[in-house]
Amino acid sequence: MRKLLPSLIAIVILSVPLCVMAEGTPVQIWLTTADQHHLLSQQSDLSFRDQQAASIDVVVDSTKTFQTMEGVGAAMTDASAILLQQKMPAALRQKVMAELFSRDNQGLGFDFTRITIGASDFSDAHYTLDDVPPNTSDETLQHFSMAPQSLYVMPALQQALTLNPSLKIMATPWSAPAWMKTNHHLYQGELNPVFYDAYAHYFLRTIESYQMHGVPIFSISVQNEPHFEPKDYPGMRFNPEDRARFIGRYLGPLFAQHKVTTKIWDWDHNWDQPESPLKVLSDPQAASYITGVAWHCYAGNASAQSIVHHQFPTKETWLTECSGGEWSPDWESSLPWLESNLIIDSIRHWSKGVLMWNLILDQHFGPHLGGCANCRAVMTYNTETGALTRNAEYYAFGHISKFVHRGAKRIASSDQTEGVNNVAFINEDGSIVIVLCNTSTTPHNVSVRSGTQRFAYQLPPKSVITAVWK
């Protein structure tokens, strides 16, 4: 009889629900629809009760947790900073910055942003932080200067930090200074290995300079889109073998020597080439200094993140760039794509943070110099009329940023079915958040089960909801 006792105990334990949800527990609902009739609009509360499953039944299990979330946001490019600091009246700038970065009821609460070290295509001039005349070099960085980024980017970041002191800032170069490159030009080319040490000190000076102005740099990648050489704006090829050598023998040891806590991330390019970060991480010396892998959305899909995660599970995953644009102007395609691919899929494939590209652009999709002529930002500011437009990106990201706080953990939830995708979290205060996106053209009846209780909701076509309960 004693031999049967452990089995009986196991049967009893397994029969107890993993999560007990009291009947009548209220559920708050926020809705955005592609027809824009609802824009992060709070709906009437629902409640958990004992009821039958809908045709789509999503099961949430808060006892099974995954990665810890750090935040979402968008890049403070030169273009965005110029608009905010130079083109926008001070009162409106304060309102816009509070709306984007503060965590009060009116703010999106962006916790994560990205800046460029030097120029990108979204700058009004092409520059680096150490430009010297042609046919000269500056290995000791005597001509290093933060002046180009002190005018607009620095004050914009300082203001963002007053609104959200825990804001995490990523910094990425589009090109090394021309004198460090094989072609002596900001466009195309590669980093000359002779200048690996100088380039490592270039990163160190950048981080130290921002820190001196009260702007801590949380993380860097060593090159934006290292497999792409743009022809009309700064860029640079940086192959995986070379990135591994640069990080493992120069940048990593230099950061360690100076006790720099800024994280080093590899890749910062598209989902379609996971073999590139895998090659860098296979170098033990480089891998010892790399804490994560950064991804872009422009080719492939988010499942690539899991390919790398499963081989290197201690390395963090981040989605650090994606841009909407006039190639997809209608909300019916852009809203569900953004929510399903950037928020839901990337996080289900281990992203700790998600970034859009430009935070704000003008009515001409700029200022920009070369590169993308029709990229869309989170917000659009019309410099002629003063009108401010909140784009689909604003609402897609708001459905997570307002409700999922730093320190939240992703929790288990059912996989996508019949055009409805989801991701769920538990905040440190015990509140549970689930984001559901209907990517189809028809409404879907959905139930969400926690323990033995459910709430039910009819998701409109091409819509997003966020549900929150305790």
Side-chain angles (χ1 to χ4, degrees), residues 220-273:
I220 58 101
S221 65
V222 297
Q223 176 60 41
N224 176 72
E225 300 187 344
H227 286 195
F228 177 52
E229 297 178 71
K231 297 180 179 179
D232 60 353
Y233 65 94
M236 186 173 78
R237 179 167 291 276
F238 211 165
N239 291 322
E241 300 87 353
D242 299 323
R243 297 200 309 276
R245 182 178 176 221
F246 173 68
I247 294 169
R249 300 183 187 179
Y250 296 89
L251 186 64
L254 184 66
F255 277 16
Q257 177 188 347
H258 289 266
K259 297 180 171 56
V260 174
T261 58
T262 299
K263 296 186 175 189
I264 300 172
W265 296 342
D266 185 50
W267 192 218
D268 218 0
H269 207 167
N270 290 331
W271 286 323
D272 64 337
Q273 297 183 70

Side-chain angles (χ1 to χ4, degrees), residues 374-397:
N374 61 350
C375 282
R376 188 174 57 238
V378 172
M379 301 176 85
T380 300
Y381 175 62
N382 190 309
T383 56
E384 296 174 359
T385 67
L388 192 69
T389 303
R390 296 160 185 83
N391 296 317
E393 291 78 5
Y394 178 99
Y395 296 100
F397 273 61

Side-chain angles (χ1 to χ4, degrees), residues 62-341:
S62 62
T63 68
K64 187 174 183 181
T65 61
F66 302 94
Q67 75 271 30
T68 300
M69 298 304 298
E70 295 287 354
V72 303
M76 183 68 76
T77 57
D78 287 353
S80 295
I82 288 167
L83 280 179
L84 288 163
Q85 298 296 319
Q86 186 181 43
K87 305 293 186 181
M88 193 175 286
L92 181 59
R93 177 172 67 247
Q94 180 63 35
K95 176 181 180 295
V96 168
M97 291 290 283
E99 187 174 337
L100 291 168
F101 292 103
S102 70
R103 277 219 163 269
D104 62 24
N105 291 334
Q106 303 302 314
L108 289 187
F110 278 177
D111 277 330
F112 188 25
T113 192
R114 184 177 182 228
I115 60 172
T116 65
I117 301 175
S120 71
D121 45 332
F122 284 90
S123 300
D124 59 356
H126 290 161
Y127 67 93
T128 71
L129 304 184
D130 196 322
D131 292 327
V132 296
N135 301 316
T136 63
S137 62
D138 185 26
E139 292 186 54
T140 58
L141 305 183
Q142 292 185 20
H143 297 281
F144 180 93
S145 174
M146 291 294 292
Q149 296 194 298
S150 296
L151 193 58
Y152 305 119
V153 175
M154 188 79 75
L157 293 174
Q158 290 168 334
Q159 184 177 9
L161 284 163
T162 63
L163 294 162
N164 185 347
S166 64
L167 179 71
K168 291 191 183 299
I169 300 167
M170 176 192 184
T172 304
W174 263 237
S175 174
W179 57 268
M180 293 188 189
K181 296 174 66 177
T182 55
N183 65 346
H184 306 288
H185 202 288
L186 293 185
Y187 305 169
Q188 303 182 301
E190 299 181 50
L191 182 63
N192 188 333
V194 170
F195 296 116
Y196 276 8
D197 184 64
Y199 198 39
H201 279 85
Y202 180 83
F203 279 97
L204 179 65
R205 288 284 296 274
T206 301
I207 292 166
E208 291 178 338
S209 299
Y210 269 109
Q211 183 67 56
M212 286 174 57
H213 290 84
V215 178
I217 302 300
F218 170 70
S219 63
I220 58 101
S221 65
V222 297
Q223 176 60 41
N224 176 72
E225 300 187 344
H227 286 195
F228 177 52
E229 297 178 71
K231 297 180 179 179
D232 60 353
Y233 65 94
M236 186 173 78
R237 179 167 291 276
F238 211 165
N239 291 322
E241 300 87 353
D242 299 323
R243 297 200 309 276
R245 182 178 176 221
F246 173 68
I247 294 169
R249 300 183 187 179
Y250 296 89
L251 186 64
L254 184 66
F255 277 16
Q257 177 188 347
H258 289 266
K259 297 180 171 56
V260 174
T261 58
T262 299
K263 296 186 175 189
I264 300 172
W265 296 342
D266 185 50
W267 192 218
D268 218 0
H269 207 167
N270 290 331
W271 286 323
D272 64 337
Q273 297 183 70
E275 64 276 6
S276 188
L278 285 173
K279 183 172 287 188
V280 174
L281 291 173
S282 68
D283 181 310
Q285 194 169 4
S288 68
Y289 297 109
I290 294 168
T291 64
V293 177
W295 299 90
H296 294 186
C297 75
Y298 305 112
N301 61 71
S303 63
Q305 298 176 178
S306 285
I307 293 173
V308 175
H309 171 82
H310 292 320
Q311 293 194 43
F312 295 93
T314 64
K315 304 304 181 185
E316 299 171 344
T317 301
W318 301 77
L319 181 64
T320 54
E321 187 185 315
C322 193
S323 183
E326 288 308 286
W327 55 84
S328 179
D330 62 287
W331 280 53
E332 286 196 351
S333 58
S334 58
L335 175 68
W337 190 92
L338 291 162
E339 198 71 45
S340 186
N341 287 273

Side-chain angles (χ1 to χ4, degrees), residues 335-395:
L335 175 68
W337 190 92
L338 291 162
E339 198 71 45
S340 186
N341 287 273
L342 302 191
I343 300 299
I344 295 174
D345 281 356
S346 78
I347 293 174
R348 289 184 76 101
H349 288 287
W350 300 99
S351 284
K352 293 169 65 71
V354 182
L355 285 172
M356 286 301 298
W357 185 208
N358 292 275
L359 194 67
I360 185 167
L361 293 174
D362 67 19
Q363 70 274 22
H364 304 299
F365 311 104
H368 71 88
L369 187 58
C372 184
N374 61 350
C375 282
R376 188 174 57 238
V378 172
M379 301 176 85
T380 300
Y381 175 62
N382 190 309
T383 56
E384 296 174 359
T385 67
L388 192 69
T389 303
R390 296 160 185 83
N391 296 317
E393 291 78 5
Y394 178 99
Y395 296 100

